[in-house]
């Protein structure tokens, strides 16, 4: 009798781990596989010869990324929050002007029971490294 009780507890615990890991992987894939075109389409180019003239159009970038998450999470029951932090071209200094060359997109969500998922991706205009 005690063996059946322990086996049922083990089965329930395994199911909770499976569901939690699956939901965390879903959120992780949404952030990691975010299309690069969302970012490249929101870059404003004033002069091709001057690298300092490249910058993100904040309104377009935030609208496109928010739309991507809304469409991707339409079939899922996740409450989420997207935060944008803008940086200078070095990727370390905060940008307070309208012409920022780096952005960090942070997705945070409660995905299972009361566990919180948070993942950030940083994008900087420049040569790939």
């Amino acid at each position: 009798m005690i063996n059946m009780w322990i086996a049922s507890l083990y089965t329930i615990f395994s199911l909770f781990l499976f569901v939690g890991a699956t939901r965390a992987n879903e959120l992780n894939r949404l952030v990691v596989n975010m299309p690069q075109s969302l970012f490249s389409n929101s870059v404003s180019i004033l002069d091709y010869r001057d690298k300092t003239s490249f910058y993100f159009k904040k309104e377009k970038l935030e609208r496109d990324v928010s739309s991507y998450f809304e469409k991707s999470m339409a079939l899922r029951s996740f409450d989420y929050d997207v935060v944008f932090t803008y940086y200078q071209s070095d990727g370390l200094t905060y940008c307070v002007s309208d012409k920022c060359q780096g952005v960090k997109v942070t997705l945070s969500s409660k995905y299972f029971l009361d566990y919180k998922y948070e993942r950030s991706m940083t994008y900087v205009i420049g040569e790939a490294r």
Side-chain angles (χ1 to χ4, degrees), residues 9-33:
L9 282 179
Y10 181 75
T11 303
I12 291 170
F13 181 70
S14 297
L15 180 65
F16 278 144
L17 284 177
F18 173 74
V19 170
T22 302
R23 288 188 173 197
N25 282 333
E26 282 183 80
L27 289 170
N28 193 43
R29 274 186 261 127
L30 283 176
V31 175
V32 172
N33 296 331

Short mmCIF file of all heavy atoms in Angstrom, two decimals, residues 9-33:
data_model
loop_
_atom_site.label_atom_id
_atom_site.label_comp_id
_atom_site.label_asym_id
_atom_site.label_seq_id
_atom_site.Cartn_x
_atom_site.Cartn_y
_atom_site.Cartn_z
N LEU A 9 3.02 9.61 -5.76
CA LEU A 9 3.70 10.89 -5.48
C LEU A 9 4.84 11.12 -6.47
O LEU A 9 5.02 12.24 -6.95
CB LEU A 9 4.24 10.91 -4.05
CG LEU A 9 3.23 11.18 -2.95
CD1 LEU A 9 3.93 11.13 -1.58
CD2 LEU A 9 2.56 12.51 -3.15
N TYR A 10 5.59 10.09 -6.77
CA TYR A 10 6.69 10.20 -7.74
C TYR A 10 6.14 10.56 -9.11
O TYR A 10 6.71 11.39 -9.82
CB TYR A 10 7.46 8.88 -7.78
CG TYR A 10 8.61 8.90 -8.73
CD1 TYR A 10 9.79 9.57 -8.43
CD2 TYR A 10 8.52 8.27 -9.98
CE1 TYR A 10 10.85 9.61 -9.31
CE2 TYR A 10 9.57 8.30 -10.86
CZ TYR A 10 10.72 8.98 -10.52
OH TYR A 10 11.76 9.02 -11.40
N THR A 11 5.02 9.95 -9.51
CA THR A 11 4.42 10.24 -10.81
C THR A 11 3.94 11.69 -10.88
O THR A 11 4.16 12.38 -11.88
CB THR A 11 3.24 9.28 -11.06
OG1 THR A 11 3.71 7.94 -10.97
CG2 THR A 11 2.62 9.53 -12.42
N ILE A 12 3.30 12.16 -9.85
CA ILE A 12 2.81 13.55 -9.82
C ILE A 12 3.98 14.53 -9.85
O ILE A 12 3.96 15.51 -10.59
CB ILE A 12 1.91 13.78 -8.60
CG1 ILE A 12 0.61 13.00 -8.75
CG2 ILE A 12 1.63 15.26 -8.39
CD1 ILE A 12 -0.24 12.97 -7.51
N PHE A 13 5.01 14.25 -9.07
CA PHE A 13 6.19 15.12 -9.06
C PHE A 13 6.87 15.14 -10.43
O PHE A 13 7.28 16.20 -10.92
CB PHE A 13 7.16 14.64 -7.97
CG PHE A 13 8.38 15.48 -7.85
CD1 PHE A 13 8.32 16.77 -7.36
CD2 PHE A 13 9.62 14.99 -8.27
CE1 PHE A 13 9.44 17.55 -7.24
CE2 PHE A 13 10.76 15.76 -8.16
CZ PHE A 13 10.67 17.05 -7.65
N SER A 14 6.97 13.98 -11.07
CA SER A 14 7.57 13.92 -12.41
C SER A 14 6.75 14.70 -13.42
O SER A 14 7.30 15.37 -14.31
CB SER A 14 7.70 12.47 -12.86
OG SER A 14 8.56 11.76 -12.01
N LEU A 15 5.44 14.62 -13.32
CA LEU A 15 4.57 15.38 -14.23
C LEU A 15 4.76 16.88 -14.04
O LEU A 15 4.84 17.63 -15.01
CB LEU A 15 3.12 14.99 -14.00
CG LEU A 15 2.10 15.69 -14.89
CD1 LEU A 15 2.30 15.31 -16.35
CD2 LEU A 15 0.69 15.38 -14.45
N PHE A 16 4.85 17.35 -12.79
CA PHE A 16 5.09 18.77 -12.53
C PHE A 16 6.42 19.22 -13.12
O PHE A 16 6.52 20.29 -13.71
CB PHE A 16 5.04 19.07 -11.04
CG PHE A 16 3.67 19.25 -10.49
CD1 PHE A 16 3.37 18.82 -9.22
CD2 PHE A 16 2.68 19.86 -11.22
CE1 PHE A 16 2.10 18.98 -8.69
CE2 PHE A 16 1.40 20.04 -10.72
CZ PHE A 16 1.11 19.60 -9.44
N LEU A 17 7.47 18.41 -12.96
CA LEU A 17 8.77 18.75 -13.53
C LEU A 17 8.71 18.81 -15.05
O LEU A 17 9.29 19.71 -15.67
CB LEU A 17 9.83 17.75 -13.08
CG LEU A 17 10.33 17.89 -11.66
CD1 LEU A 17 11.32 16.78 -11.35
CD2 LEU A 17 10.98 19.24 -11.44
N PHE A 18 8.01 17.87 -15.66
CA PHE A 18 7.90 17.84 -17.11
C PHE A 18 7.18 19.09 -17.63
O PHE A 18 7.63 19.74 -18.57
CB PHE A 18 7.17 16.58 -17.56
CG PHE A 18 6.87 16.55 -19.03
CD1 PHE A 18 7.88 16.31 -19.94
CD2 PHE A 18 5.59 16.79 -19.49
CE1 PHE A 18 7.62 16.30 -21.30
CE2 PHE A 18 5.31 16.79 -20.84
CZ PHE A 18 6.32 16.53 -21.76
N VAL A 19 6.04 19.42 -17.03
CA VAL A 19 5.26 20.59 -17.48
C VAL A 19 6.06 21.87 -17.27
O VAL A 19 6.11 22.74 -18.14
CB VAL A 19 3.90 20.64 -16.75
CG1 VAL A 19 3.20 21.96 -17.01
CG2 VAL A 19 3.03 19.48 -17.17
N GLY A 20 6.72 22.01 -16.11
CA GLY A 20 7.52 23.20 -15.84
C GLY A 20 8.68 23.35 -16.81
O GLY A 20 8.94 24.44 -17.33
N ALA A 21 9.38 22.26 -17.08
CA ALA A 21 10.52 22.32 -18.01
C ALA A 21 10.07 22.61 -19.43
O ALA A 21 10.72 23.37 -20.16
CB ALA A 21 11.29 21.01 -17.96
N THR A 22 8.93 22.06 -19.83
CA THR A 22 8.42 22.31 -21.17
C THR A 22 8.04 23.78 -21.35
O THR A 22 8.37 24.39 -22.37
CB THR A 22 7.19 21.42 -21.44
OG1 THR A 22 7.57 20.06 -21.28
CG2 THR A 22 6.66 21.63 -22.84
N ARG A 23 7.39 24.35 -20.36
CA ARG A 23 7.01 25.77 -20.46
C ARG A 23 8.23 26.68 -20.43
O ARG A 23 8.27 27.69 -21.13
CB ARG A 23 6.05 26.14 -19.34
CG ARG A 23 4.69 25.54 -19.57
CD ARG A 23 3.68 26.05 -18.60
NE ARG A 23 2.36 25.58 -18.98
CZ ARG A 23 1.26 26.10 -18.52
NH1 ARG A 23 1.30 27.09 -17.65
NH2 ARG A 23 0.10 25.63 -18.90
N ALA A 24 9.23 26.35 -19.63
CA ALA A 24 10.46 27.16 -19.61
C ALA A 24 11.16 27.08 -20.96
O ALA A 24 11.68 28.10 -21.45
CB ALA A 24 11.37 26.68 -18.49
N ASN A 25 11.17 25.92 -21.58
CA ASN A 25 11.79 25.78 -22.90
C ASN A 25 11.03 26.57 -23.96
O ASN A 25 11.63 27.14 -24.87
CB ASN A 25 11.89 24.32 -23.31
CG ASN A 25 13.03 23.62 -22.62
OD1 ASN A 25 14.02 24.24 -22.26
ND2 ASN A 25 12.90 22.32 -22.43
N GLU A 26 9.71 26.61 -23.87
CA GLU A 26 8.91 27.41 -24.80
C GLU A 26 9.30 28.88 -24.74
O GLU A 26 9.52 29.53 -25.76
CB GLU A 26 7.43 27.28 -24.49
CG GLU A 26 6.78 26.02 -24.96
CD GLU A 26 5.30 26.03 -24.67
OE1 GLU A 26 4.55 26.67 -25.44
OE2 GLU A 26 4.90 25.42 -23.66
N LEU A 27 9.37 29.41 -23.52
CA LEU A 27 9.74 30.82 -23.35
C LEU A 27 11.16 31.08 -23.82
O LEU A 27 11.44 32.10 -24.46
CB LEU A 27 9.57 31.22 -21.89
CG LEU A 27 8.14 31.33 -21.39
CD1 LEU A 27 8.12 31.50 -19.89
CD2 LEU A 27 7.43 32.48 -22.07
N ASN A 28 12.06 30.17 -23.51
CA ASN A 28 13.45 30.34 -23.92
C ASN A 28 13.58 30.36 -25.44
O ASN A 28 14.30 31.19 -26.00
CB ASN A 28 14.30 29.22 -23.32
CG ASN A 28 15.77 29.51 -23.44
OD1 ASN A 28 16.21 30.63 -23.21
ND2 ASN A 28 16.53 28.50 -23.80
N ARG A 29 12.86 29.48 -26.11
CA ARG A 29 12.91 29.46 -27.57
C ARG A 29 12.34 30.74 -28.17
O ARG A 29 12.82 31.22 -29.21
CB ARG A 29 12.15 28.26 -28.12
CG ARG A 29 13.02 27.02 -28.17
CD ARG A 29 12.32 25.86 -28.84
NE ARG A 29 11.81 25.02 -27.76
CZ ARG A 29 10.55 24.63 -27.66
NH1 ARG A 29 9.67 24.99 -28.55
NH2 ARG A 29 10.18 23.88 -26.65
N LEU A 30 11.32 31.32 -27.55
CA LEU A 30 10.77 32.58 -28.07
C LEU A 30 11.79 33.70 -28.04
O LEU A 30 11.88 34.50 -28.96
CB LEU A 30 9.55 32.99 -27.25
CG LEU A 30 8.25 32.26 -27.52
CD1 LEU A 30 7.18 32.75 -26.55
CD2 LEU A 30 7.81 32.48 -28.94
N VAL A 31 12.57 33.76 -26.97
CA VAL A 31 13.56 34.84 -26.84
C VAL A 31 14.78 34.57 -27.70
O VAL A 31 15.24 35.45 -28.44
CB VAL A 31 13.97 35.02 -25.36
CG1 VAL A 31 15.07 36.04 -25.23
CG2 VAL A 31 12.76 35.43 -24.54
N VAL A 32 15.31 33.37 -27.65
CA VAL A 32 16.55 33.05 -28.37
C VAL A 32 16.33 33.07 -29.88
O VAL A 32 17.20 33.52 -30.63
CB VAL A 32 17.11 31.69 -27.90
CG1 VAL A 32 18.27 31.25 -28.76
CG2 VAL A 32 17.54 31.78 -26.45
N ASN A 33 15.18 32.61 -30.34
CA ASN A 33 14.90 32.55 -31.78
C ASN A 33 14.15 33.76 -32.29
O ASN A 33 13.48 33.68 -33.33
CB ASN A 33 14.11 31.27 -32.10
CG ASN A 33 14.90 30.03 -31.80
OD1 ASN A 33 16.12 30.03 -31.88
ND2 ASN A 33 14.22 28.96 -31.44
#
